Each structure stands twice: as structure tokens, then as C-alpha cells.
Amino acid sequence: MGEKQASLGESTKDHAEKSGTAVNGKDAKVTIGDGIEKEGQTTYSHSRLSTFEQCPLKFKFGYIDKLETEIEGSIESFLGSRVHEALEKLYKDLKFEKENTIQELLDFYNSEWEKHWTGNILVVRKEYNSENYRKMGERFIIDYYNRYKPFNQTRTIGLEIRILIKLDDDGRYVLQGFIDRLSYAGDGVYEIHDYKTANTLPDQEKLDSDRQLALYAIAVKHKYRDCQKVRLIWHYLAFDKEVSSERTEAQLARLKSESVNLIKEIESAKEFPPKESALCEWCEYRPHCPRFKHLYKVEELEPVAFRKDEGVGLVNEYSKLRDEESRIKKELEKMSEKIMAFADQHKVDRVYGSDTRVTIWQKNCIKFPGKQDMDYPEFVKALRESGALQEFSTVDKWKLEKAFEQVDMDPEVMEKIAKFGKRELVKRVYSSKR
Ligand code: SF4
């Protein structure tokens, strides 16, 4: 499943990878890379790496804590799994000289849909129901069937092939994946086919840097010694479109070392902070996530109980005060202008109230450009060239602390300033409209 699609919920294959079970409840038929798995070795997958990149906390929930959730994945991933099954059947039967009609394939798809459907599947886009998604899947299958019939473009080698990729020479880092369909096009050209049911069509640049199929290409090149070229092919079923890409040896070598670095980062991670994004809506761990746990609790409540919830009460009060604060700020500005106009009119610079006096201070001041002004870089350059920058600039503490935390500065400088830094727990509240 695609990058976005994979993030919109876990596919059956991802789930198999997490739980260690076989795909679709069946044993994977072929494994490319047998013998490279060792006891006690953690086998990674593209989806495991992407989950960490998407949100470290989601990674922790899924792969470390192995949290059970009531949500059985999103409808997008459910649809993806059913369409994958239908296309797998199509090619599997073809191997046995049986060509399904469109109707036979649709009947199979619909019966699998019925068989697997449960009420615990997450439908995020509330304006659409399961029937809308089921029909989408039918359209994907019909379009694919009509485009590729009689399906003899290449020779199918295997379906849902489990592959193991050795990322380093010692075999310490191994990555597992599943190829939807591997085929041979002749003249040493192998094709990795991946079916996508996502509703977004990525551009070529994105496909040329896609990690998943490129990693699979490493295993295919290693396994088939006559392999001259591996074509990476994505079938974007929602658009009835086939897109492809290739990788050079140098790109694959770089990808291996980048993947090892990412695995090392994961293995050495001590903190797993939540990383909020648009994909949170599809995250099955929302009820456990500190960002959404309270929302889950109160959303279930009746209106009266909702208003009585302590958290709801505190935030409502806070929000009222913030609104009041901004209203008062505006009122104060308006009042200052009125007082200044009064002072001008009466030629005074101090105006008296019952127990307060307001003094108007005015002076024709010089103003230099600020960071938001166009000529700021030129201004800083002039200061630097004249040697005055050090004397008149201040340390941007926030920027410095951020660079230090992210180890994004010269190690020598870090070493020198480290003794001045003191760790303290900083807590702040931010508010935004829901
Ligand atoms: S809901 Fe969002 S922030 Fe929370 S664990 Fe899931 S992906 Fe991470």
C-alpha cells in the first residue's frame, strides 16, 4: 500500500508484520531472502520505519507496547486489503489457466467484503459510508481488468511474496516486505508491481524517492542473478494509472545506509513524543494518545455531563479569559488613542483621572529594520562589517536552545557552552480554536 495509504491505517500486511502472523491468515507462499533471518534479530519493515517517521509515539504504541485497540484499522486500509485480495486471485487463477470474468472477480471481492466487515472499522470521512467505499473498490477492479486484459504483458513470478533485505554486511539489520506481484518482462527485466487505492496521485519526484519498492528491488536483484534491471511499478487504481521508476546501484546503496541510520535512531530512541499531523485522524491509537485521550472521553458524554467535566470547564474558563484579554487589549489601544488626541487638543502631556494619571511620552525616535523588514540582512551585514554586531546584538536564546537540543551546531561550540545549560521541565499552555 502507498505511503499515504499506509499511513491512513494499517494494511493487512502491516498488521501481519506487527503481530508476526501470516498474510491474510495464509502462509506467505514465497520468501525471497530465506536464511538471512537470525534468532534474536529485530526484523524491520518499511511500514515500521514510516510509522516512526510519522509519529514516534504511534511507533511506541504499535511496536513496543503492542497496544490492543478496538479500532480494526481504517476503511481505506480495509478497502485496500479487499482490492489486493481480488487482484491476487486474478493472477493466481491465471497461473492455473483460469481467467476470471469481471463478474466472478467482483463476486469474490464483495463476498470477502461481507466476510471481513465489522462495525469497528474506522470511517473518518463521515460524509461517506461503507457502501461508497465498497463501490469505489468495484470501480478500481473493473478499470484494472479492462486495462490489462488478457493479463499477458509479463509473466507472473509470484504474488504477495515475502522478501527479506539484508541492509548491512553483518546481517544485523534486516528488513521485511511483501511484494504484491513480481513479474518477469524478459531480457533480464523484473517488475515489482504495487497496487495503490489511495485517493492521491504522487508526482514523479515522489516516486523516484519512494523507499518501499526501492528496498524490495535490492532483494530482487540479489535473488535473481540474471536480473539486469528492476522496474518499480505502481498501479494507482483510483486514477486507472500506471506509474514507474527505477533506481541506480548508487541510489540503492545510499538507501541501504539511510535505512540503517534510521533503524539505529529508532533503536537508540529514549523518548517517543507525539507528532501531530493530518494523519492523526486515521490513527488507531487516538483513544490512548495524550493529544486526543481527553477528547475521546468527553465526546462520549451527554451535553450536561460534558459541560460538567472538569477539563472542559477549565478550558472554557481559560478560553473566556483569553477572549476577554484580547478584547481588553483592543479597548486599551483605542482608549490610548483617545487620551493622546485629548492631550494634543488641550496641549498637555499628562491627563488625570480619580486615582490614575496617564502620561504621554513622545519623541522622534530612530528605528532600524527588524527581522521582518526587507533590508534587515543588509543592515546586519553593515553592522558585522563595521565590527558593531557583537556589541549590539543579543543572543537568541530560543534559537540557541533549539539548535543545542537538536545537535544542530558545531560540536566544539556545544562542548564549550554545555556547562551553562541546566535541564528544567518547562510547561506551557497553548490554546487554539477546535
Ligand atoms: S494520534 Fe497522532 S500524535 Fe497521537 S499517536 Fe497517533 S499519530 Fe501520534
Side-chain angles (χ1 to χ4, degrees):
M1 296 197 144
E3 192 77 28
K4 175 95 172 165
Q5 184 69 40
S7 335
L8 295 185
E10 188 183 64
S11 71
T12 315
K13 283 182 283 184
D14 297 332
H15 192 75
E17 186 255 318
K18 250 186 226 173
S19 59
T21 56
V23 185
N24 297 338
K26 294 174 268 178
D27 289 332
K29 291 139 283 234
V30 188
T31 298
I32 294 183
D34 270 341
I36 65 172
E37 269 178 313
K38 291 180 200 152
E39 215 176 309
Q41 176 186 58
T42 310
T43 306
Y44 278 81
S45 70
H46 164 74
S47 119
R48 198 181 269 233
L49 301 185
S50 312
T51 304
F52 184 80
E53 288 171 321
Q54 184 204 326
C55 171
L57 184 59
K58 184 177 179 185
F59 176 89
K60 181 174 180 289
F61 283 153
Y63 295 102
I64 300 175
D65 303 341
K66 297 191 190 301
L67 271 191
E68 293 288 335
T69 66
E70 278 180 16
I71 301 165
E72 290 177 19
S74 66
I75 189 146
E76 286 84 358
S77 83
F78 181 83
L79 163 68
S81 296
R82 302 294 79 81
V83 171
H84 275 72
E85 282 162 2
L87 296 180
E88 186 192 352
K89 176 179 167 55
L90 171 69
Y91 284 98
K92 187 178 147 216
D93 287 352
L94 281 165
K95 277 182 132 185
F96 292 89
E97 299 301 330
K98 180 185 170 195
E99 188 179 304
N100 286 277
T101 61
I102 289 191
Q103 197 49 55
E104 281 169 336
L105 220 50
L106 292 179
D107 288 346
F108 172 79
Y109 163 79
N110 283 319
S111 91
E112 289 300 300
W113 184 286
E114 291 276 312
K115 218 189 299 172
H116 293 280
W117 180 261
T118 75
N120 290 336
I121 290 164
L122 181 68
V123 183
V124 173
R125 297 186 171 104
K126 299 288 179 226
E127 63 274 38
Y128 308 115
N129 58 30
S130 68
E131 196 48 18
N132 297 116
Y133 286 91
R134 192 191 59 75
K135 281 187 186 156
M136 269 166 74
E138 284 195 339
R139 176 166 55 79
F140 297 168
I141 294 167
I142 294 169
D143 286 347
Y144 184 92
Y145 192 98
N146 290 333
R147 173 186 258 265
Y148 293 103
K149 193 175 183 288
F151 318 105
N152 57 0
Q153 293 79 9
T154 52
R155 192 171 285 267
T156 298
I157 297 173
L159 304 163
E160 296 293 341
I161 300 176
R162 178 174 182 250
I163 50 151
L164 294 167
I165 307 140
K166 210 165 110 177
L167 294 174
D168 60 330
D169 294 338
D170 304 337
R172 158 99 179 75
Y173 301 104
V174 171
L175 206 125
Q176 165 186 265
F178 292 92
I179 297 179
D180 288 343
R181 179 162 57 90
L182 178 67
S183 71
Y184 185 63
D187 298 328
V189 180
Y190 286 77
E191 291 183 349
I192 295 174
H193 293 262
D194 202 50
Y195 307 121
K196 301 288 187 196
T197 49
N199 256 328
T200 46
L201 183 66
D203 56 26
Q204 191 62 40
E205 203 183 323
K206 189 140 197 284
L207 295 171
D208 289 341
S209 59
D210 179 272
R211 180 174 57 209
Q212 187 180 17
L213 296 204
L215 283 168
Y216 299 173
I218 296 170
V220 172
K221 281 196 172 189
H222 185 75
K223 164 93 175 169
Y224 299 101
R225 295 299 151 106
D226 67 329
C227 178
Q228 304 286 324
K229 195 155 81 170
V230 180
R231 236 180 251 143
L232 314 178
I233 299 175
W234 293 267
H235 298 273
Y236 276 87
L237 304 170
F239 306 91
D240 190 19
K241 218 167 160 27
E242 177 184 310
V243 280
S244 66
S245 179
E246 279 169 34
R247 297 290 185 279
T248 62
E249 287 297 335
Q251 285 173 318
L252 293 181
R254 202 169 47 239
L255 182 65
K256 278 210 250 181
S257 80
E258 283 168 3
S259 304
V260 168
N261 288 343
L262 182 54
I263 293 176
K264 283 183 182 166
E265 189 190 331
I266 295 174
E267 290 185 347
S268 62
K270 292 195 174 54
E271 286 175 17
F272 297 86
K275 191 166 153 193
E276 203 174 343
S277 73
L279 297 173
C280 288
E281 286 202 60
W282 283 269
C283 176
E284 62 273 42
Y285 303 110
R286 270 166 71 100
H288 302 274
C289 173
R291 285 281 151 90
F292 298 99
K293 206 169 168 176
H294 183 242
L295 177 67
Y296 263 80
K297 187 189 142 208
V298 294
E299 256 179 357
E300 312 258 294
L301 302 175
E302 296 291 324
V304 177
F306 176 82
R307 281 194 298 275
K308 275 190 182 162
D309 178 87
E310 192 188 352
V312 170
L314 286 169
V315 172
N316 286 351
E317 196 57 31
Y318 180 84
S319 161
K320 240 197 279 172
L321 291 171
R322 289 299 299 263
D323 289 349
E324 187 75 350
E325 185 189 22
S326 69
R327 189 189 63 76
I328 287 174
K329 255 191 200 161
K330 277 186 206 143
E331 287 294 313
L332 275 172
E333 270 165 31
K334 267 195 234 158
M335 202 48 75
S336 302
E337 276 165 24
K338 277 186 185 169
I339 294 173
M340 281 192 268
F342 176 89
D344 269 355
Q345 194 190 348
H346 295 273
K347 309 227 177 311
V348 295
D349 65 3
R350 184 168 287 171
V351 184
Y352 292 81
S354 309
D355 53 9
T356 308
R357 63 186 195 190
V358 175
T359 305
I360 292 99
W361 178 90
Q362 55 182 342
K363 190 182 168 204
N364 219 339
C365 300
I366 183 90
K367 286 275 168 206
F368 287 112
K371 278 185 184 164
Q372 68 287 353
D373 295 318
M374 295 275 282
D375 47 354
Y376 181 73
E378 216 180 309
F379 166 65
V380 173
K381 193 172 158 222
L383 270 181
R384 186 175 293 118
E385 283 170 358
S386 61
L389 189 65
Q390 264 189 321
E391 192 182 344
F392 292 107
S393 71
T394 53
V395 176
D396 188 338
K397 246 168 57 72
W398 184 83
K399 214 169 157 185
L400 181 72
E401 284 159 2
K402 191 173 167 219
F404 192 90
E405 289 282 7
Q406 295 178 350
V407 200
D408 188 16
M409 62 197 298
D410 187 335
E412 261 183 55
V413 179
M414 278 189 78
E415 208 182 314
K416 277 191 187 140
I417 64 169
K419 63 177 178 203
F420 299 102
K422 289 191 188 75
R423 287 238 165 249
E424 60 182 63
L425 182 67
V426 181
K427 282 190 176 183
R428 286 192 192 106
V429 292
Y430 298 96
S431 66
S432 54
K433 291 288 172 205
R434 277 181 59 189

